[in-house]
Structure formats: C-alpha cells, structure tokens
C-alpha cells in the first residue's frame, strides 16, 4: 500500500537510503524533506514495514523526483513502478512533466524509468561523486 510518508517511517527509510545510495541522506535531511510543503514524499508499506519510497516536488508545472529506492529484498516486484505511478498521480492537474537524474551506470533504474515513459533528455557531466560519474537527465510528459 502506498501512503504519504510520515515521521514514523523515517528510520526505516534512512536504512533503505543507506543501502541504496553512496551519498545517503541523513534522517535529519529526510525529516526536512518531509516537512517541505511542496514535496511529495510517499512510501510503500507492507505489514508495517517500508519496502520503498519516493521523494519529489512540484512547482505546479514540473514535477521533479529527487530520490526513489526500494529495499533490496523487495526489488523486481513492481514497487518502483507503483511509486512512480503514485508520484505522478499526486501531481497537481497543472503539472505537465516529470524530470529526474540517474547515474549513467544504473541500468536497472534507467530501464525502469524508460518503461514508465521517461526519455533521455541530456547528460550532466560529472554530476555524481563517490564514484565520479555522469548523470542522465530523463523527462516524462504528463497527460492528465
């Protein structure tokens, strides 16, 4: 079940964050993201456990996905697709696109985004550190 995240889920989200990213956000950063009014912060919950989450924002016209991760034990179960769909559905009617950046080497994520309708729109050279790597910019047009 996908729900709006709240403070009780932050410790579990922080654990997934640490396992998924080389530059994980701290619990404090996650709490800050949760408190931002323009943010969309969703979690996929099963039996009281967070299996995945997505954090993004919208300025009213463009959605932006900042973080999305699924617990390694629950990957390849459609949770990432469910989170992307829930994020898109949470956008205001005025939103016409969603963008994100992804490490150039993250083929599974690039494949997921492509299957969800995202297209490559550019490259940000040296965007990531630890290790240093390019970021692929991907955009999806939203039709509501």
């Amino acid at each position: 079940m996908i729900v709006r995240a709240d403070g009780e889920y932050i410790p579990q989200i922080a654990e997934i964050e640490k396992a998924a990213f080389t530059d994980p956000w701290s619990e404090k950063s996650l709490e800050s993201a949760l408190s931002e009014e323009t943010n969309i912060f969703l979690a996929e919950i099963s039996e009281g456990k967070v299996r995945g989450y997505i954090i993004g924002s919208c300025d009213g016209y463009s959605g932006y996905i900042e973080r999305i991760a699924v617990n390694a034990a629950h990957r390849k179960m459609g949770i990432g697709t469910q989170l992307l769909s829930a994020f898109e559905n949470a956008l205001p009617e005025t939103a016409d696109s969603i963008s994100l950046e992804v490490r150039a080497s993250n083929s599974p994520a690039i494949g997921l985004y492509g299957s969800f309708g995202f297209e490559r729109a550019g490259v940000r050279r040296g965007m990531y550190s630890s290790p240093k790597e390019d970021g692929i910019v991907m955009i999806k047009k939203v039709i509501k």
Side-chain angles (χ1 to χ4, degrees):
M1 159 177 61
I2 300 206
V3 300
R4 290 260 179 197
D6 62 34
E8 78 176 275
Y9 299 123
I10 294 296
Q12 292 181 63
I13 290 169
E15 288 303 311
I16 296 170
E17 179 81 6
K18 286 178 201 169
F21 296 103
T22 60
D23 59 342
W25 288 5
S26 66
E27 284 192 29
K28 185 175 181 176
S29 294
L30 291 165
E31 288 168 358
S32 178
L34 188 62
S35 69
E36 288 293 325
E37 190 173 306
T38 59
N39 280 355
I40 299 168
F41 196 151
L42 306 171
E44 199 281 338
I45 310 293
S46 179
E47 298 176 3
K49 301 286 185 194
V50 176
R51 299 192 308 173
Y53 64 93
I54 188 167
I55 305 169
S57 59
C58 185
D59 63 8
Y61 302 100
S62 299
Y64 178 73
I65 296 173
E66 294 185 52
R67 300 298 247 203
I68 180 171
V70 174
N71 181 305
H74 297 99
R75 291 185 185 148
K76 306 272 189 219
M77 297 172 66
I79 295 169
T81 300
Q82 291 173 35
L83 288 164
L84 288 167
S85 181
F87 180 86
E88 184 173 332
N89 290 335
L91 293 172
E93 291 289 322
T94 54
D96 61 6
S97 66
I98 305 170
S99 63
L100 56 81
E101 289 96 13
V102 60
R103 282 183 179 272
S105 65
N106 193 343
S107 298
I110 292 169
L112 169 66
Y113 303 141
S115 71
F116 197 72
F118 281 85
E119 297 179 352
R120 290 177 187 236
V123 175
R124 293 203 173 143
R125 301 275 176 223
M127 178 178 174
Y128 294 98
S129 58
S130 299
K132 188 141 179 94
E133 190 171 356
D134 293 344
I136 305 295
V137 178
M138 300 186 81
I139 296 176
K140 177 183 181 183
K141 297 293 180 193
V142 175
I143 301 169
K144 290 211 174 199

